Amino acid sequence: MDNNFKEKIDAIITELSEVNDLQIKLGVLNYMEQQASFMIWQLEDEQHLDENSRNW
């Protein structure tokens, strides 16, 4: 993993850990999970398209 991305992610997690409102933490973490899942889905779709284009 690119160290720059890791530092940014760690900074967000550190900032979130300082939030006292559990509902806000839960909402942010759920949103992060949703976005990550969507990105994984997109990458998997791109990977399938790439594999299919090689098979032609």
Side-chain angles (χ1 to χ4, degrees), residues 11-54:
I12 291 169
I13 298 301
T14 298
E15 184 176 345
L16 183 58
S17 71
E18 296 170 2
V19 173
N20 292 326
D21 189 319
L22 295 178
Q23 292 299 323
I24 291 173
K25 278 185 183 181
L26 184 59
V28 170
L29 290 172
N30 281 332
Y31 178 75
M32 289 172 65
E33 182 180 33
Q34 242 179 359
Q35 293 300 93
S37 293
F38 180 70
M39 289 181 73
I40 290 169
W41 175 80
Q42 283 182 312
L43 289 172
E44 288 173 346
D45 192 46
E46 288 177 25
Q47 187 177 30
H48 291 281
L49 290 172
D50 186 52
E51 290 171 0
N52 288 342
S53 70
R54 288 188 210 162

